[in-house]
Amino acid sequence: MFSWRFHLLRLLFACFFISALLPFIFSANAQAFKDPITVTSQTDTLNFPKSIDFQMSAHDASSTITQATIYIMYGARGYQEFHTVNATPPTGTVTLRWHEEITSSNFAPPGTPISYYWRVQDSANNNHTDNPQNFTMTDTRFFWQHATQGLLQVNWYNRTQDFGQAVLSQASTNIKRISDNLGGGLQHPINLWVYQNANDFHGALPPQSYEWVGGIAFPSINQASIVVDSLVDDTLRRDMPHELTHLIFHQLTFQDTAPIWFDEGMAVYNQLYKEPALTNRLKDALASHSLIPLKTISLDFPADADQAYLAYAQSWNLIDYMFNTFGRNKMALLIKDMNNQQTDFGEDLVLALRIDQAHLENQWHLYLNQPATLAPSQLTPAAQTHQPIAQPSTVDNAEPLLVLLGILLALLPMIGITGLLVYQRNARTSNQLARQAQQIINSTLPPLSANRNLPYMSPATYASPPPPSAPWPSHYQQAPVRPASRPQAGGYTAHWGPPATPGAEHQRELSSPFTYNQEYVNQPPEKRVSQE
């Protein structure tokens, strides 16, 4: 009995001793696992269009800080880069800076959302990643005023509130008209930046832009800029609807599926004003039978100014022909089909209009009394049946309508019986096919992001994942995108590369952060624009 009680007392004493030590054990472990690095401050100072200065201060409670890496993301998803700054000498408290040049290879237009964070490392190999910071690229040369209606925001400076409201009203009216033509409206907010004169506007253009640029659109970030001298300026009827068309069109379609002739032709088609020189250039080409083949202007417009101007003119004429031939409903269906990630533009044409690009081009040439682009042996019967939609007639249409009604009454029962038979046959296999399709999708595709407004970039500009040692926070990961079918720009695509920066490790994940539409006005390009 004594032995049993003795062992019980020993057990109780051991439990009491261990319970008394537990707070000290957990406290020591907590100290061991506690992050010794604290970021005490971080700032970003924008000097558009020249640079961004990032600064970060940090303190290490147990060691010395050796370096810090800043990770920067331009745009909602896409262009990423990182730069490592060494602490010389390593100390427990540091203030490190990164000077980001944005005048050339790293240009970002006004309206670009920018996110960044710092990752700090000390001599004991402790790593601290701070929370991401966010700001928007703004042209800091001016004090901007803003007005909003629906998903549209207009930004201007040095003008009255009435001026901004007038531009907002015209832009909203344009958006409604363009949306009716395209079969759909804005899906995401857009910004329109209105510059007072060409000199101010040129200072906000990407490197190597031409001085004739009258408007520019960045569909990947839903931004556009124009120059407006006054409320009676032709740019409000030409450049503004042109750029708005680009933004709306690319929100309605899966990115990079349309050839540039379709993209730019649609934008010119929606202009309220087309300068006479555009029509005259097309007439000259028709007189000399020198239209540019569509395959030549599918990926890019010519570098030659005169040929590029012709590309705009004939692209507009072809889009106008398509609307007159197939009707607005069919054109809206084509644009809707272009949002299908599984088909390209050629397949979309056939699905919506029952014609491929080769036969479309041939039919358009014949309509303009131009030489055929296909030999008779290449023609298909279905492709020869499309004619421009006839204009409304003043003849009484009552009799044809009655005949049509009688035919429909005779055909409807047969159509209904046929449809019922087809439905019964397909119903037996539809569930099985749906299950198989879903299994294939689930096994091959990653989950899509909720944001469908994917970046609009050339194939060379897609971002690689950040370095494995310091991944971007999960909610900033780039969504998977379909490889682009063409680079996107209004006649020119700028390609940038990282500048050499001695004494600092840096990496840019893309060769170019943005591509864009830069639009022709009625003057030839002569020299490049310099940023101020």
Side-chain angles (χ1 to χ4, degrees), residues 290-367:
S290 58
L291 291 176
I292 306 172
L294 291 188
K295 64 180 180 181
T296 303
I297 54 175
S298 289
L299 297 180
D300 205 353
F301 275 5
D304 176 76
D306 180 69
Q307 286 295 102
Y309 201 63
L310 172 59
Y312 275 94
Q314 72 174 61
S315 297
W316 157 42
N317 185 271
L318 176 52
I319 293 297
D320 183 71
Y321 168 80
M322 293 175 70
F323 270 98
N324 289 331
T325 302
F326 304 102
R328 191 165 69 175
N329 291 339
K330 286 290 185 66
M331 292 296 288
L333 178 61
L334 171 61
I335 293 172
K336 181 180 179 181
D337 288 343
M338 290 167 62
N339 197 40
N340 184 354
Q341 303 178 20
Q342 308 304 320
T343 58
D344 59 24
F345 179 74
E347 294 168 321
D348 296 333
L349 272 178
V350 174
L351 288 173
L353 307 183
R354 305 304 181 195
I355 191 172
D356 58 28
Q357 180 169 302
H359 285 85
L360 172 65
E361 181 177 19
N362 185 74
Q363 182 174 300
W364 172 57
H365 268 241
L366 296 178
Y367 175 75

Coordinates of all heavy atoms in Angstrom, one line a residue, residues 290-367:
S290 N -4.9 48.9 -105.7 CA -3.8 48.6 -104.8 C -4.2 48.4 -103.3 O -3.5 48.9 -102.4 CB -2.7 49.7 -104.9 OG -3.3 51.0 -104.6
L291 N -5.3 47.8 -103.1 CA -5.7 47.5 -101.7 C -4.7 46.6 -101.1 O -4.1 45.7 -101.8 CB -7.1 46.9 -101.7 CG -8.3 47.8 -102.0 CD1 -9.6 47.0 -102.0 CD2 -8.4 49.0 -101.1
I292 N -4.5 46.7 -99.8 CA -3.5 45.9 -99.1 C -4.2 44.6 -98.8 O -5.3 44.6 -98.2 CB -3.0 46.6 -97.8 CG1 -2.5 47.9 -98.1 CG2 -2.0 45.7 -97.1 CD1 -2.1 48.8 -96.8
P293 N -3.6 43.4 -99.0 CA -4.2 42.1 -98.7 C -4.5 42.0 -97.2 O -3.7 42.5 -96.3 CB -3.1 41.1 -99.1 CG -2.3 41.8 -100.1 CD -2.3 43.2 -99.7
L294 N -5.6 41.4 -96.8 CA -5.9 41.4 -95.4 C -4.9 40.6 -94.6 O -4.6 41.0 -93.4 CB -7.3 40.7 -95.2 CG -8.5 41.5 -95.7 CD1 -9.8 40.8 -95.3 CD2 -8.5 42.9 -95.2
K295 N -4.3 39.6 -95.1 CA -3.3 38.8 -94.4 C -2.1 39.7 -94.0 O -1.4 39.4 -93.0 CB -2.8 37.6 -95.1 CG -2.1 37.9 -96.4 CD -1.7 36.6 -97.1 CE -1.0 36.9 -98.5 NZ -0.6 35.7 -99.2
T296 N -1.9 40.8 -94.8 CA -0.7 41.7 -94.5 C -1.0 42.6 -93.3 O -0.1 43.0 -92.6 CB -0.4 42.5 -95.8 OG1 -0.1 41.6 -96.9 CG2 0.8 43.4 -95.5
I297 N -2.3 42.9 -93.1 CA -2.7 43.8 -92.0 C -3.4 43.1 -90.9 O -4.2 43.7 -90.2 CB -3.4 45.0 -92.5 CG1 -4.7 44.6 -93.4 CG2 -2.5 45.9 -93.4 CD1 -5.5 45.7 -93.8
S298 N -3.2 41.8 -90.8 CA -3.9 41.0 -89.7 C -3.1 41.1 -88.4 O -3.7 41.1 -87.3 CB -4.1 39.6 -90.2 OG -5.1 39.5 -91.1
L299 N -1.8 41.1 -88.5 CA -0.9 41.1 -87.3 C -0.4 42.5 -87.0 O -0.2 42.8 -85.8 CB 0.3 40.2 -87.5 CG 0.0 38.7 -87.7 CD1 1.2 37.9 -87.8 CD2 -0.8 38.2 -86.5
D300 N -0.3 43.4 -88.0 CA 0.2 44.7 -87.7 C -0.1 45.6 -88.9 O -0.3 45.0 -90.0 CB 1.7 44.7 -87.4 CG 2.2 45.8 -86.6 OD1 1.4 46.8 -86.4 OD2 3.4 45.9 -86.2
F301 N -0.1 46.9 -88.7 CA -0.2 47.8 -89.9 C 1.2 48.1 -90.4 O 2.2 48.1 -89.6 CB -0.9 49.1 -89.4 CG -2.4 48.9 -89.5 CD1 -3.0 47.7 -89.8 CD2 -3.2 50.0 -89.2 CE1 -4.4 47.6 -89.9 CE2 -4.6 49.9 -89.3 CZ -5.2 48.7 -89.6
P302 N 1.3 48.6 -91.6 CA 2.6 48.8 -92.2 C 3.3 50.0 -91.5 O 2.7 50.9 -90.9 CB 2.3 49.3 -93.7 CG 1.0 48.7 -93.9 CD 0.2 48.7 -92.6
A303 N 4.7 49.9 -91.5 CA 5.5 51.0 -90.9 C 5.4 52.3 -91.7 O 5.6 53.4 -91.2 CB 6.9 50.5 -90.7
D304 N 5.3 52.1 -93.0 CA 5.2 53.3 -93.9 C 3.9 54.0 -93.6 O 2.8 53.5 -93.5 CB 5.2 52.8 -95.4 CG 5.0 53.9 -96.3 OD1 6.0 54.7 -96.6 OD2 3.8 54.1 -96.8
A305 N 4.0 55.3 -93.4 CA 2.9 56.2 -93.0 C 1.8 56.1 -94.0 O 0.6 56.0 -93.6 CB 3.4 57.6 -92.8
D306 N 2.1 56.3 -95.3 CA 1.0 56.3 -96.3 C 0.3 55.0 -96.3 O -1.0 54.9 -96.4 CB 1.6 56.6 -97.6 CG 0.5 56.7 -98.7 OD1 -0.3 57.6 -98.7 OD2 0.6 55.8 -99.6
Q307 N 1.0 53.9 -96.3 CA 0.4 52.5 -96.3 C -0.4 52.3 -95.0 O -1.5 51.6 -95.1 CB 1.5 51.5 -96.5 CG 2.0 51.4 -97.9 CD 1.0 51.0 -98.9 OE1 0.4 51.8 -99.7 NE2 0.7 49.7 -99.0
A308 N 0.1 52.7 -93.9 CA -0.7 52.6 -92.7 C -2.0 53.4 -92.7 O -3.0 52.9 -92.3 CB 0.2 53.0 -91.5
Y309 N -1.9 54.6 -93.3 CA -3.1 55.4 -93.4 C -4.1 54.7 -94.3 O -5.3 54.7 -94.1 CB -2.8 56.7 -94.0 CG -3.8 57.8 -93.7 CD1 -4.1 58.2 -92.4 CD2 -4.4 58.4 -94.8 CE1 -5.0 59.2 -92.2 CE2 -5.4 59.4 -94.6 CZ -5.7 59.8 -93.3 OH -6.6 60.8 -93.0
L310 N -3.6 54.0 -95.4 CA -4.5 53.2 -96.3 C -5.1 52.1 -95.5 O -6.3 51.7 -95.7 CB -3.8 52.8 -97.5 CG -4.5 51.7 -98.4 CD1 -5.8 52.3 -98.9 CD2 -3.6 51.3 -99.5
A311 N -4.3 51.5 -94.6 CA -4.8 50.3 -93.8 C -6.0 50.7 -93.0 O -7.0 50.0 -92.8 CB -3.7 49.8 -93.0
Y312 N -5.9 51.9 -92.4 CA -7.0 52.4 -91.6 C -8.3 52.6 -92.5 O -9.4 52.2 -92.2 CB -6.7 53.7 -90.9 CG -6.0 53.6 -89.6 CD1 -4.6 53.6 -89.5 CD2 -6.7 53.5 -88.4 CE1 -3.9 53.5 -88.3 CE2 -6.1 53.3 -87.2 CZ -4.7 53.4 -87.2 OH -4.0 53.2 -86.0
A313 N -8.0 53.2 -93.7 CA -9.1 53.6 -94.6 C -9.8 52.3 -95.1 O -11.1 52.2 -95.0 CB -8.6 54.4 -95.7
Q314 N -9.1 51.3 -95.5 CA -9.7 50.2 -96.1 C -10.3 49.2 -95.0 O -11.3 48.5 -95.2 CB -8.8 49.4 -97.0 CG -7.7 48.6 -96.3 CD -6.9 47.8 -97.3 OE1 -6.3 48.3 -98.2 NE2 -6.8 46.5 -97.1
S315 N -9.7 49.3 -93.8 CA -10.3 48.5 -92.7 C -11.6 49.0 -92.3 O -12.6 48.3 -92.1 CB -9.3 48.5 -91.5 OG -8.1 47.9 -91.8
W316 N -11.7 50.4 -92.3 CA -13.1 51.0 -92.0 C -14.0 50.6 -93.1 O -15.2 50.3 -92.8 CB -12.9 52.5 -91.9 CG -14.1 53.3 -92.2 CD1 -15.4 53.1 -91.7 CD2 -14.2 54.5 -93.0 NE1 -16.2 54.0 -92.2 CE2 -15.5 55.0 -92.9 CE3 -13.2 55.3 -93.7 CZ2 -16.0 56.1 -93.6 CZ3 -13.7 56.4 -94.3 CH2 -15.0 56.8 -94.3
N317 N -13.6 50.7 -94.4 CA -14.5 50.4 -95.5 C -15.0 48.9 -95.4 O -16.2 48.6 -95.7 CB -13.9 50.6 -96.8 CG -14.8 50.5 -98.0 OD1 -14.9 49.4 -98.5 ND2 -15.5 51.6 -98.4
L318 N -14.1 48.0 -95.0 CA -14.5 46.6 -94.9 C -15.5 46.4 -93.8 O -16.5 45.6 -93.9 CB -13.3 45.7 -94.7 CG -13.5 44.2 -94.6 CD1 -14.4 43.7 -95.6 CD2 -12.2 43.5 -94.5
I319 N -15.3 47.0 -92.6 CA -16.2 46.9 -91.5 C -17.6 47.4 -91.9 O -18.6 46.9 -91.6 CB -15.7 47.6 -90.3 CG1 -14.4 46.9 -89.7 CG2 -16.8 47.6 -89.2 CD1 -14.7 45.4 -89.3
D320 N -17.6 48.6 -92.6 CA -18.8 49.2 -93.1 C -19.6 48.2 -94.1 O -20.8 48.0 -94.0 CB -18.5 50.5 -93.8 CG -19.8 51.2 -94.2 OD1 -20.6 51.7 -93.4 OD2 -20.1 51.3 -95.5
Y321 N -18.8 47.6 -94.9 CA -19.3 46.6 -95.9 C -20.0 45.4 -95.1 O -21.0 44.9 -95.4 CB -18.3 46.1 -96.8 CG -18.6 44.9 -97.6 CD1 -19.4 45.0 -98.8 CD2 -18.2 43.6 -97.2 CE1 -19.8 43.9 -99.5 CE2 -18.6 42.5 -98.0 CZ -19.4 42.6 -99.1 OH -19.7 41.5 -99.8
M322 N -19.3 45.0 -94.0 CA -19.8 43.8 -93.3 C -21.1 44.2 -92.6 O -22.0 43.3 -92.5 CB -18.7 43.4 -92.3 CG -17.5 42.8 -92.9 SD -16.1 42.4 -91.7 CE -16.9 41.0 -90.9
F323 N -21.2 45.4 -92.0 CA -22.4 45.8 -91.4 C -23.6 45.9 -92.4 O -24.7 45.4 -92.1 CB -22.3 47.1 -90.7 CG -21.8 47.0 -89.2 CD1 -20.5 47.2 -88.9 CD2 -22.7 46.8 -88.2 CE1 -20.0 47.1 -87.6 CE2 -22.3 46.7 -86.9 CZ -21.0 46.9 -86.6
N324 N -23.3 46.4 -93.6 CA -24.3 46.5 -94.6 C -24.7 45.2 -95.2 O -25.9 45.0 -95.6 CB -23.9 47.4 -95.7 CG -23.8 48.9 -95.3 OD1 -24.6 49.3 -94.4 ND2 -22.9 49.6 -95.9
T325 N -23.8 44.2 -95.2 CA -24.0 42.9 -95.8 C -24.7 42.0 -94.9 O -25.7 41.3 -95.2 CB -22.7 42.3 -96.3 OG1 -22.1 43.2 -97.3 CG2 -23.0 41.0 -97.0
F326 N -24.2 41.9 -93.7 CA -24.7 40.9 -92.7 C -25.6 41.4 -91.7 O -26.4 40.7 -91.0 CB -23.5 40.2 -92.0 CG -22.5 39.6 -93.0 CD1 -21.3 40.2 -93.3 CD2 -22.8 38.4 -93.6 CE1 -20.4 39.7 -94.2 CE2 -21.9 37.8 -94.5 CZ -20.7 38.5 -94.8
G327 N -25.6 42.7 -91.5 CA -26.5 43.3 -90.5 C -25.9 43.4 -89.1 O -25.0 42.7 -88.8
R328 N -26.4 44.3 -88.3 CA -25.9 44.6 -87.0 C -26.0 43.4 -86.1 O -25.2 43.1 -85.2 CB -26.5 45.8 -86.4 CG -25.8 46.3 -85.1 CD -26.2 47.7 -84.8 NE -27.6 47.8 -84.3 CZ -28.1 48.9 -83.8 NH1 -27.4 50.1 -83.8 NH2 -29.4 49.0 -83.4
N329 N -27.1 42.7 -86.2 CA -27.3 41.5 -85.3 C -26.3 40.4 -85.5 O -25.7 39.8 -84.6 CB -28.7 40.9 -85.5 CG -29.8 41.9 -85.0 OD1 -29.6 42.7 -84.1 ND2 -31.0 41.7 -85.5
K330 N -26.0 40.2 -86.8 CA -25.0 39.2 -87.1 C -23.6 39.7 -86.7 O -22.8 38.9 -86.2 CB -25.0 38.9 -88.6 CG -26.1 38.0 -89.1 CD -26.0 36.6 -88.5 CE -27.1 35.7 -89.1 NZ -27.0 35.5 -90.5
M331 N -23.3 40.9 -86.8 CA -22.0 41.5 -86.4 C -21.9 41.4 -84.9 O -20.8 41.1 -84.3 CB -21.9 42.9 -86.8 CG -21.7 43.0 -88.4 SD -20.2 42.3 -89.0 CE -18.9 43.4 -88.4
A332 N -23.0 41.6 -84.2 CA -23.0 41.5 -82.7 C -22.7 40.0 -82.3 O -22.0 39.7 -81.3 CB -24.3 42.0 -82.1
L333 N -23.3 39.1 -83.1 CA -23.1 37.7 -82.8 C -21.6 37.3 -83.0 O -21.0 36.5 -82.3 CB -24.0 36.8 -83.7 CG -23.8 35.3 -83.6 CD1 -24.2 34.8 -82.2 CD2 -24.7 34.6 -84.6
L334 N -21.0 37.9 -84.1 CA -19.6 37.6 -84.3 C -18.7 38.1 -83.2 O -17.8 37.4 -82.7 CB -19.2 38.3 -85.6 CG -17.7 38.4 -85.9 CD1 -17.1 37.0 -86.1 CD2 -17.4 39.2 -87.2
I335 N -19.0 39.3 -82.7 CA -18.2 39.8 -81.5 C -18.5 38.9 -80.3 O -17.5 38.7 -79.5 CB -18.6 41.3 -81.3 CG1 -18.1 42.1 -82.5 CG2 -18.0 41.8 -80.0 CD1 -18.6 43.6 -82.4
K336 N -19.7 38.5 -80.1 CA -20.0 37.6 -79.0 C -19.2 36.3 -79.1 O -18.6 35.8 -78.1 CB -21.5 37.3 -78.9 CG -21.9 36.4 -77.7 CD -23.4 36.2 -77.7 CE -23.8 35.2 -76.6 NZ -25.2 35.0 -76.6
D337 N -19.1 35.7 -80.3 CA -18.4 34.5 -80.5 C -16.9 34.7 -80.3 O -16.2 33.7 -79.9 CB -18.6 34.0 -82.0 CG -20.0 33.4 -82.2 OD1 -20.7 33.1 -81.2 OD2 -20.4 33.3 -83.3
M338 N -16.4 35.9 -80.5 CA -15.0 36.2 -80.3 C -14.6 36.1 -78.8 O -13.4 36.1 -78.5 CB -14.6 37.5 -80.9 CG -14.7 37.5 -82.4 SD -14.6 39.2 -83.1 CE -13.0 39.7 -82.5
N339 N -15.6 36.0 -77.9 CA -15.3 35.8 -76.5 C -15.1 34.3 -76.2 O -14.8 34.0 -75.0 CB -16.4 36.4 -75.6 CG -16.0 36.6 -74.2 OD1 -14.9 37.0 -73.9 ND2 -16.9 36.3 -73.3
N340 N -15.2 33.5 -77.1 CA -15.0 32.0 -76.9 C -13.5 31.7 -77.0 O -12.9 31.9 -78.0 CB -15.8 31.2 -78.0 CG -15.7 29.7 -77.8 OD1 -15.0 29.2 -76.9 ND2 -16.4 29.0 -78.6
Q341 N -13.0 31.2 -75.9 CA -11.5 31.0 -75.8 C -11.1 29.8 -76.7 O -9.9 29.6 -76.9 CB -11.1 30.7 -74.4 CG -11.5 31.9 -73.4 CD -11.1 31.6 -72.0 OE1 -10.3 30.7 -71.7 NE2 -11.7 32.3 -71.0
Q342 N -12.1 29.0 -77.1 CA -11.7 27.7 -77.8 C -11.7 27.9 -79.3 O -11.3 27.0 -80.0 CB -12.7 26.6 -77.4 CG -12.9 26.4 -76.0 CD -11.6 26.1 -75.2 OE1 -10.8 25.4 -75.7 NE2 -11.4 26.7 -74.0
T343 N -12.0 29.1 -79.8 CA -12.1 29.3 -81.3 C -11.2 30.6 -81.6 O -11.1 31.5 -80.8 CB -13.5 29.5 -81.8 OG1 -14.1 30.6 -81.1 CG2 -14.3 28.3 -81.5
D344 N -10.7 30.6 -82.8 CA -10.0 31.7 -83.3 C -10.9 32.6 -84.2 O -12.0 32.3 -84.4 CB -8.7 31.3 -84.1 CG -9.0 30.5 -85.3 OD1 -10.1 30.5 -85.8 OD2 -8.1 29.7 -85.7
F345 N -10.3 33.7 -84.7 CA -11.2 34.6 -85.4 C -11.8 34.0 -86.7 O -12.9 34.2 -87.1 CB -10.4 35.9 -85.8 CG -11.1 36.9 -86.6 CD1 -12.1 37.7 -86.0 CD2 -10.9 37.0 -88.0 CE1 -12.8 38.6 -86.8 CE2 -11.6 38.0 -88.7 CZ -12.6 38.8 -88.1
G346 N -11.0 33.2 -87.4 CA -11.5 32.5 -88.6 C -12.7 31.6 -88.3 O -13.6 31.6 -89.1
E347 N -12.6 30.9 -87.2 CA -13.7 30.0 -86.9 C -14.9 30.8 -86.4 O -16.0 30.5 -86.7 CB -13.2 29.1 -85.7 CG -12.2 28.1 -86.2 CD -11.5 27.4 -85.0 OE1 -11.3 28.0 -83.9 OE2 -11.3 26.2 -85.1
D348 N -14.6 32.0 -85.8 CA -15.8 32.8 -85.3 C -16.5 33.4 -86.6 O -17.7 33.5 -86.6 CB -15.2 34.0 -84.5 CG -14.6 33.5 -83.2 OD1 -15.0 32.4 -82.7 OD2 -13.7 34.2 -82.6
L349 N -15.7 33.8 -87.6 CA -16.4 34.3 -88.8 C -17.3 33.2 -89.4 O -18.4 33.6 -89.8 CB -15.3 34.6 -89.9 CG -14.7 36.0 -89.8 CD1 -13.6 36.1 -90.9 CD2 -15.7 37.1 -90.1
V350 N -16.8 32.0 -89.5 CA -17.7 31.0 -90.1 C -18.9 30.7 -89.3 O -20.0 30.5 -89.8 CB -16.8 29.7 -90.3 CG1 -17.7 28.5 -90.8 CG2 -15.7 29.9 -91.3
L351 N -18.7 30.6 -88.0 CA -19.8 30.3 -87.1 C -20.9 31.4 -87.1 O -22.1 31.1 -87.2 CB -19.4 30.2 -85.6 CG -18.6 28.9 -85.3 CD1 -18.0 29.0 -83.9 CD2 -19.5 27.7 -85.5
A352 N -20.5 32.7 -87.1 CA -21.4 33.8 -87.1 C -22.0 34.2 -88.4 O -23.1 34.5 -88.6 CB -20.8 35.0 -86.3
L353 N -21.1 34.3 -89.4 CA -21.4 34.9 -90.7 C -21.5 33.9 -91.9 O -21.8 34.2 -93.0 CB -20.4 36.0 -91.1 CG -20.2 37.1 -90.1 CD1 -19.3 38.2 -90.6 CD2 -21.6 37.7 -89.6
R354 N -21.1 32.6 -91.6 CA -21.1 31.6 -92.6 C -20.1 31.9 -93.7 O -20.4 31.6 -94.9 CB -22.5 31.3 -93.1 CG -23.5 31.0 -92.0 CD -23.1 29.8 -91.2 NE -24.1 29.5 -90.2 CZ -23.9 28.7 -89.1 NH1 -22.7 28.2 -88.9 NH2 -24.9 28.5 -88.3
I355 N -19.0 32.5 -93.5 CA -18.0 32.8 -94.5 C -16.7 32.9 -93.8 O -16.6 33.4 -92.7 CB -18.4 34.1 -95.2 CG1 -17.6 34.4 -96.5 CG2 -18.3 35.3 -94.3 CD1 -18.0 35.5 -97.3
D356 N -15.6 32.5 -94.5 CA -14.3 32.6 -94.0 C -13.6 33.9 -94.5 O -14.2 34.6 -95.3 CB -13.4 31.4 -94.3 CG -13.3 31.2 -95.8 OD1 -13.4 32.1 -96.6 OD2 -13.1 30.0 -96.2
Q357 N -12.5 34.2 -94.0 CA -11.8 35.5 -94.3 C -11.5 35.6 -95.8 O -11.6 36.6 -96.4 CB -10.6 35.7 -93.4 CG -9.9 37.1 -93.7 CD -8.8 37.4 -92.7 OE1 -9.1 37.5 -91.5 NE2 -7.6 37.6 -93.2
A358 N -11.0 34.5 -96.4 CA -10.6 34.5 -97.8 C -11.8 34.9 -98.7 O -11.7 35.7 -99.6 CB -10.0 33.2 -98.2
H359 N -12.9 34.2 -98.4 CA -14.1 34.5 -99.3 C -14.7 35.9 -98.9 O -15.3 36.5 -99.8 CB -15.2 33.4 -99.1 CG -14.8 32.1 -99.8 ND1 -14.0 31.2 -99.2 CD2 -15.2 31.7 -101.0 CE1 -13.9 30.2 -100.0 NE2 -14.6 30.4 -101.1
L360 N -14.6 36.3 -97.7 CA -15.1 37.6 -97.3 C -14.3 38.7 -98.1 O -14.8 39.6 -98.6 CB -14.9 37.9 -95.8 CG -15.2 39.3 -95.3 CD1 -16.6 39.7 -95.5 CD2 -14.8 39.4 -93.8
E361 N -13.0 38.5 -98.1 CA -12.1 39.5 -98.8 C -12.4 39.5 -100.3 O -12.5 40.6 -100.9 CB -10.6 39.2 -98.6 CG -9.7 40.1 -99.2 CD -8.2 39.8 -98.9 OE1 -7.9 38.7 -98.5 OE2 -7.4 40.7 -99.1
N362 N -12.6 38.3 -100.9 CA -12.9 38.2 -102.3 C -14.2 38.9 -102.6 O -14.4 39.7 -103.6 CB -13.0 36.8 -102.7 CG -13.1 36.6 -104.2 OD1 -12.2 36.8 -105.0 ND2 -14.4 36.2 -104.6
Q363 N -15.2 38.6 -101.8 CA -16.6 39.2 -102.0 C -16.5 40.7 -101.9 O -17.2 41.5 -102.7 CB -17.5 38.6 -101.0 CG -19.0 39.1 -101.1 CD -19.9 38.3 -100.2 OE1 -20.0 37.1 -100.2 NE2 -20.5 39.1 -99.3
W364 N -15.8 41.2 -100.9 CA -15.6 42.7 -100.7 C -14.9 43.3 -101.9 O -15.3 44.4 -102.4 CB -14.9 42.9 -99.4 CG -14.4 44.3 -99.1 CD1 -15.2 45.4 -99.0 CD2 -13.1 44.8 -98.9 NE1 -14.5 46.5 -98.8 CE2 -13.2 46.2 -98.7 CE3 -11.9 44.1 -98.8 CZ2 -12.0 46.9 -98.4 CZ3 -10.7 44.9 -98.6 CH2 -10.8 46.3 -98.3
H365 N -13.9 42.7 -102.4 CA -13.2 43.2 -103.6 C -14.1 43.3 -104.8 O -14.1 44.3 -105.5 CB -12.0 42.3 -103.9 CG -10.7 42.7 -103.3 ND1 -9.6 43.0 -104.0 CD2 -10.4 42.8 -102.0 CE1 -8.6 43.3 -103.2 NE2 -9.0 43.2 -102.0
L366 N -14.9 42.3 -105.0 CA -15.8 42.3 -106.2 C -16.9 43.4 -106.0 O -17.2 44.1 -107.0 CB -16.5 41.0 -106.3 CG -15.6 39.8 -106.7 CD1 -16.4 38.5 -106.7 CD2 -14.8 40.0 -108.0
Y367 N -17.3 43.6 -104.8 CA -18.3 44.7 -104.5 C -17.7 46.0 -104.8 O -18.4 47.0 -105.3 CB -18.7 44.6 -103.0 CG -19.6 45.7 -102.6 CD1 -21.0 45.8 -103.0 CD2 -19.1 46.7 -101.8 CE1 -21.8 46.8 -102.6 CE2 -19.9 47.8 -101.4 CZ -21.3 47.8 -101.8 OH -22.1 48.8 -101.4

